[in-house]
Amino acid sequence: MRMRKKRRGEERLRALSALFVTKEDCTAAMKGIFGEDRPLRLEIGCGKGEFIRKLSRRDPDYNYIAVERVGDVIVTAAEKYAEDRGLGQLDCHGGWRSPDGTVYKNERWEIPLDLRGNVRFLNCDAAELDGLFCDGAFDAVYANFSDPWTKNGYTARRLTHPDFLRQYVRLLREGGSFTFKTDNTELFDFSLEAVRCEPCFDIVFETRDLHGSERAGSNIVTEYERNFSSQGIPINCFEAVKKAEKK
Ligand SMILES: C[S@@+](CC[C@H](N)C(=O)[O-])C[C@H]1O[C@@H](n2cnc3c(N)ncnc32)[C@H](O)[C@@H]1O
């Protein structure tokens, strides 16, 4: 996602850092991170966070980790989430204004745990997730409109490269799902092929026209998805489920 360099990105991140997790939090099995223990879901490449905001409201019985590698983008996702959850807004003079009127400028707001809701943001590259969470930590993994990396020699960066798929297999519990959406036909073909070759996954849903499919009603439209479908570009999607291990 291209974005003009945000001013005071670090400063803004600091104000809402209570909504973020560090890699150390993740290796420590997320102890004390959420107000309530719930099954976990993971989104990789959350962008400005529309999908995670809507999903976490629609399915409140889960906790969510939203991963994004670009700092200026994830800070926007966290701010939009905070605003959506009634936790204040950006102050016109800079800083974050909490609902009681206090402005946090370059300092952390210790948001009470019960107000933080069920989403935490993690600013890192998906390639760094390996080893951060325990095996089977997640019920679901989502990757929406990830970069297609069409240039020769860059396929290993695709979030559906076999190396990433093996990582999702490890992160998912048995029966957990990986859902992938893209506008890019070449990336979709590559991804389907990769997931079919991964023996631990079964594809349970596959379409090249999500908005015309039986899942159109339950689909949460992301920022990129809205843009593509407004241009008449069909949306590709699959869901793959981690098979139970044979005993
Ligand atoms: C094209 S945008 C899509 C954003 C959002 N998911 C949507 O559907 O509107 C892809 C996002 O994934 C992020 N991203 C791409 N590769 C990533 C990686 N390896 N790890 C973490 N984030 C990544 C990019 O920085 C960008 O914000």
Side-chain angles (χ1 to χ4, degrees):
M1 175 174 283
R2 285 187 189 283
M3 219 175 167
R4 246 179 286 129
K5 185 86 185 139
K6 274 259 164 61
R7 285 175 60 218
R8 303 193 298 266
E10 285 290 311
E11 207 178 295
R12 289 164 52 205
L13 198 141
R14 205 159 295 136
L16 291 178
S17 57
L19 298 177
F20 282 76
V21 283
T22 61
K23 290 191 208 160
E24 291 70 34
D25 294 327
C26 302
T27 43
M30 316 290 291
K31 291 238 176 331
I33 295 299
F34 291 101
E36 270 182 52
D37 266 351
R38 302 185 185 102
L40 268 179
R41 290 173 167 181
L42 172 72
E43 186 190 6
I44 301 176
C46 71
K48 293 185 198 162
E50 182 166 354
F51 177 78
I52 209 74
R53 254 186 345 267
K54 291 185 172 163
L55 183 68
S56 62
R57 268 195 179 280
R58 188 190 74 186
D59 297 349
D61 294 336
Y62 294 86
N63 289 329
Y64 297 83
I65 303 289
V67 171
E68 168 58 55
R69 68 170 172 205
V70 180
D72 284 348
V73 175
I74 200 167
V75 82
T76 301
E79 287 169 349
K80 286 175 174 244
Y81 168 77
E83 207 171 330
D84 184 60
R85 297 297 176 110
L87 294 174
Q89 59 196 46
L90 276 173
D91 189 70
C92 53
H93 302 296
W96 186 262
R97 178 180 288 272
S98 68
D100 71 2
T102 311
V103 176
Y104 295 85
K105 213 169 178 175
N106 207 13
E107 64 175 310
R108 178 181 163 101
W109 172 26
E110 273 312 330
I111 307 171
L113 195 55
D114 59 327
L115 297 184
R116 291 181 203 178
N118 56 347
V119 179
R120 296 294 179 273
F121 297 89
L122 174 59
N123 185 195
C124 80
D125 194 289
E128 299 166 56
L129 291 177
D130 213 15
L132 281 193
F133 298 94
C134 14
D135 292 3
F138 292 95
D139 251 52
V141 174
Y142 305 91
N144 297 316
F145 301 88
S146 57
D147 305 330
W149 293 108
T150 42
K151 272 197 201 151
N152 278 345
Y154 285 93
T155 51
R157 297 193 188 180
R158 291 178 167 174
L159 291 184
T160 47
H161 184 274
D163 291 347
F164 277 114
L165 292 181
R166 274 191 289 278
Q167 185 172 296
Y168 308 152
V169 165
R170 187 187 70 72
L171 289 172
L172 284 167
R173 65 162 175 79
E174 284 178 9
S177 63
F178 170 54
T179 307
F180 181 74
K181 295 199 272 186
T182 183
D183 59 300
N184 187 298
T185 313
E186 187 201 327
L187 175 63
F188 192 62
D189 291 341
F190 168 93
S191 306
L192 272 179
E193 178 64 23
V195 90
R196 284 191 185 117
C197 291
E198 171 47 64
C200 295
F201 274 136
D202 263 340
I203 297 178
V204 295
F205 176 74
E206 176 186 335
T207 181
R208 288 178 188 265
D209 178 18
L210 179 59
H211 296 185
S213 77
E214 76 266 23
R215 288 205 180 180
S218 60
N219 177 48
I220 292 177
V221 177
T222 77
E223 283 108 357
Y224 270 67
E225 184 169 355
R226 185 171 311 105
N227 183 25
F228 290 127
S229 63
S230 71
Q231 298 172 50
I233 300 170
I235 305 301
N236 306 289
C237 175
F238 70 73
E239 179 181 344
V241 166
K242 180 175 168 179
K243 294 178 193 169
E245 248 174 63
K246 289 203 180 89
K247 299 266 156 64

